[in-house]
Amino acid sequence: MAEHDLNVPAPAHAAAGEHPVVIGNRRLTIEDVVAIAHGRQPVRLNADAAWRDRIERGARFLRERLADGATIYGVNTGYGDACQVSVPMALVEALPLQLTRYHGCGMGRHLEPAETLAVVAARLNSLAHGYSGVRYVLLQRLADLINHRILPRIPAEGSVGASGDLTPLSYVAAALVGEREVLFNGQLQPAAGVWQQLGHPPITLAPKEGLALMNGTAVMTGLACLAYTRAEQLVRLSSRLTALATVALDGRAAHFHPTIFAAKPHAGQAEVAAWIRADLADWDDTSAHRVQDRYSIRCAPHVIGVARDAQSWIRRDIENELNSANDNPLIDPDAQEVLHGGNFYGGHIAFAMDALKTAVANLADLMDRQMALLVDDKFNNGLPRNLSGATAERAPINHGFKAVQISSSAWTAEALKHTMPASVFSRSTEAHNQDKVSMGTIAARDCLRVLELTEQVAAAHTLAAVQAVRLRCRLNPSTQVPAPVQAFIDRVGAQSGFVEEDRPLEAELRALTLAIERGELIEGDAHDRP
């Protein structure tokens, strides 16, 4: 993805008729976060008076405990290893701003607009649980960031995933107080000037509000929501491409017989096989070239099914993290307690993202192997070398999909390289206070990179598989292409025509990759959506 290409989603108020996602006193889904991130839905704070009262009571209780002389971490103490340093009452009000400032050291690319909105949505939802001791006005200003598309410039690198995403989230806090730059109306502007345009003064952080904004898992969780949705699309697309490859190779639909998968009852694996069977409905495989197709075709449900089955527990863990109070300390106004703990630790997201990137990289490897069969005339059962569509006279100088297959192999190798689990690379930091950390944000970023590479592989395989089926029909005009396969070919054909003479395919690959990332390529049939 291009860094902050200024393709900012339209402001929420421009989406007439869209129902807002309600924040507060309800459970958010991954789909809620993705809808917010892509500008399809604004947010609205819950109008329930009891919920709002609990938020305000948390902030009041925190003030009361301070007035009583209680020692509260990060409120009247230093941060991290400096928790033994007492902060005099005269400096308590200044402490939150100091936290936001000294963490302004992020590096790397800046998060994309959709990523930034997902992060803000995740942080807002966590604080809305009423365990963070923040004021209602802070939640309002976070909602303003989303609804007015005021996008903090969040560097992607600098978090070890505990104490949460401190450095990247400092850029959200800084935007609220009117410091640093934000992206607004397609332009980089000083945050203070944007708030002035909207008629709101920048917020002054109350005690603990800097810590509450920063000491949580919102970056890794927001990115995980986006990653999950993109992986979900790739699971379905790789299943469909297996059907295309089966037709193109004149293979066997019998490999996907339901009894095979009932005998090995992994639910996701069986579901993938059912998708492929539906795509191959009425496919006549009696004249297939081999008794058994090669593993990348025959075992495709067993490969894709791993990712499909993993989605259930990965969704569970992402949504549990999304719907959690994950800062420290927790403020419970009902029980009148201040609870010092470690909910900022992002271990569940780290493990989920490490697992998801491995499952997705296996999809890249599967699609790359299927494509290798398609282009190789030693294995493709009579198709032209490199899937060239050239006439016999022009064949000697045409090379079809040769270079595309090489590039696909390169993208696959890079995706596989990124599957080293980030969660095992914990580093002791901050004077050994943070001596075991999750690396969840690095795992999420790695997963997004693997997804990007795998989407490129999928785009290459899509072009190659469509070309291969067309060539099969040219070789054997009596070939009956199943209706779902033909509909998919027609959809792709609207973006990329038959490759007869060699031509640069970069623009077509980029367009297809973007369509895959957005989940647009497999929309259509009732069973097209996971």
Side-chain angles (χ1 to χ4, degrees):
M1 292 181 291
E3 180 188 331
H4 263 312
D5 57 7
L6 306 188
N7 290 326
V8 186
H13 55 72
E18 288 287 359
H19 296 292
V21 174
V22 176
I23 304 288
N25 207 28
R26 64 177 292 270
R27 188 173 173 86
L28 290 196
T29 66
I30 289 171
E31 287 73 22
D32 288 330
V33 174
V34 172
I36 294 166
H38 290 294
R40 295 194 291 267
Q41 289 180 263
V43 299
R44 176 174 62 80
L45 297 181
N46 198 319
D48 179 64
W51 169 74
R52 177 172 176 174
D53 178 66
R54 189 176 195 281
I55 297 294
E56 296 290 12
R57 283 191 292 112
R60 285 198 305 271
F61 171 62
L62 180 64
R63 288 280 191 182
E64 291 165 1
R65 294 292 290 141
L66 278 176
D68 290 342
T71 298
I72 303 174
Y73 168 75
V75 178
N76 56 3
T77 75
Y79 296 115
D81 185 60
C83 64
Q84 301 302 319
V85 176
S86 294
V87 175
M89 283 300 295
L91 296 176
V92 164
E93 300 289 342
L95 184 62
L97 187 59
Q98 292 296 111
L99 179 69
T100 70
R101 286 175 172 169
Y102 82 79
H103 274 286
C105 57
M107 294 291 285
R109 72 174 181 90
H110 291 93
L111 297 188
E112 297 288 331
E115 295 171 335
T116 302
L117 288 166
V119 167
V120 176
R123 197 76 217 117
L124 172 58
N125 194 55
S126 179
L127 298 181
H129 276 70
Y131 283 101
S132 300
V134 302
R135 296 164 297 159
Y136 182 77
V137 67
L138 186 73
L139 306 186
Q140 288 178 306
R141 294 293 84 83
L142 284 168
D144 285 338
L145 292 183
I146 294 170
N147 290 338
H148 293 285
R149 299 311 189 252
I150 306 167
L151 305 181
R153 292 275 281 170
I154 303 176
E157 298 171 10
S159 172
V160 293
S163 294
D165 292 313
L166 291 168
T167 288
L169 286 175
S170 78
Y171 290 78
V172 176
L176 294 178
V177 302
E179 296 191 355
R180 307 181 202 171
E181 287 187 319
V182 296
L183 192 63
F184 181 64
N185 289 338
Q187 296 180 334
L188 287 177
Q189 303 182 42
V194 171
W195 289 118
Q196 185 176 24
Q197 293 175 54
L198 296 176
H200 291 304
I203 200 166
T204 298
L205 296 174
K208 194 183 176 292
E209 286 185 341
L211 190 60
L213 285 165
M214 294 167 51
N215 185 213
T217 60
V219 177
M220 67 180 82
T221 303
L223 298 183
C225 289
L226 298 175
Y228 180 93
T229 302
R230 289 168 67 178
E232 194 174 42
Q233 298 296 332
L234 282 168
V235 165
R236 184 62 190 92
L237 180 57
S238 59
S239 303
R240 171 144 293 167
L241 292 174
T242 297
L244 264 76
T246 300
V247 173
L249 293 168
D250 204 11
R252 289 191 173 274
H255 296 318
F256 313 110
H257 193 284
T259 301
I260 296 172
F261 299 92
K264 189 177 183 182
H266 294 293
Q269 177 178 282
E271 189 174 16
V272 170
W275 290 340
I276 299 171
R277 278 200 310 278
D279 281 349
L280 293 175
D282 303 322
W283 171 247
D284 181 6
D285 64 3
T286 55
S287 61
H289 284 72
R290 292 168 58 93
V291 173
Q292 294 188 148
D293 292 328
R294 290 177 171 82
Y295 282 18
S296 63
I297 305 297
R298 182 173 18 130
C299 299
H302 306 76
V303 177
I304 305 167
V306 173
R308 183 60 175 165
D309 278 311
Q311 285 176 335
S312 61
W313 69 263
I314 290 173
R315 173 185 283 276
R316 179 202 68 198
D317 285 1
I318 293 173
E319 291 186 343
N320 280 343
E321 192 72 35
L322 175 64
N323 292 285
S324 69
N326 47 61
D327 59 304
N328 173 60
L330 298 183
I331 310 299
D332 187 346
D334 295 329
Q336 299 279 287
E337 290 181 318
V338 175
L339 304 166
H340 293 86
N343 278 8
F344 49 72
Y345 191 87
H348 282 82
I349 295 294
F351 190 72
M353 291 296 95
D354 279 347
L356 187 61
K357 71 185 183 185
T358 300
V360 169
N362 267 296
L363 300 183
D365 197 34
L366 177 76
M367 290 186 284
D368 182 60
R369 294 303 82 209
Q370 290 180 352
M371 186 176 175
L373 293 180
L374 292 172
V375 301
D376 195 332
D377 59 346
K378 296 186 294 297
F379 304 108
N380 65 17
N381 299 329
L383 296 178
R385 180 184 298 122
N386 296 312
L387 302 179
S388 173
T391 62
E393 294 77 15
R394 301 281 297 174
I397 61 168
N398 274 273
H399 293 79
F401 282 76
K402 178 190 285 286
V404 176
Q405 194 271 325
I406 293 170
S407 293
S408 174
S409 188
W411 302 327
T412 301
E414 187 172 346
L416 296 172
K417 180 178 72 71
H418 279 285
T419 58
M420 176 68 75
S423 56
V424 300
F425 283 92
S426 174
R427 309 292 299 160
S428 184
T429 65
E430 206 257 311
H432 299 292
N433 176 57
Q434 301 175 7
D435 58 350
K436 174 60 178 169
V437 293
S438 75
M439 298 297 182
T441 309
I442 295 173
R445 289 195 292 105
D446 280 352
C447 188
L448 288 172
R449 177 58 178 156
V450 170
L451 282 160
E452 183 178 32
L453 291 161
T454 303
E455 287 160 354
Q456 292 171 191
V457 174
H461 188 19
T462 296
L463 291 185
V466 167
Q467 175 88 353
V469 174
R470 287 169 167 165
L471 287 168
R472 179 64 65 191
C473 292
R474 178 187 284 188
L475 288 171
N476 182 6
S478 65
T479 299
Q480 296 295 313
V481 179
V485 171
Q486 187 60 57
F488 181 79
I489 290 171
D490 294 342
R491 195 173 301 133
V492 174
Q495 300 187 51
S496 177
F498 182 74
V499 181
E500 184 168 354
E501 281 285 315
D502 289 348
R503 66 173 186 264
L505 292 172
E506 178 188 346
E508 291 153 82
L509 286 166
R510 288 188 182 277
L512 274 178
T513 300
L514 183 59
I516 292 166
E517 178 188 340
R518 291 175 173 173
E520 298 168 349
L521 195 58
I522 60 170
E523 292 176 350
D525 307 337
H527 62 274
D528 275 341
R529 303 294 295 208

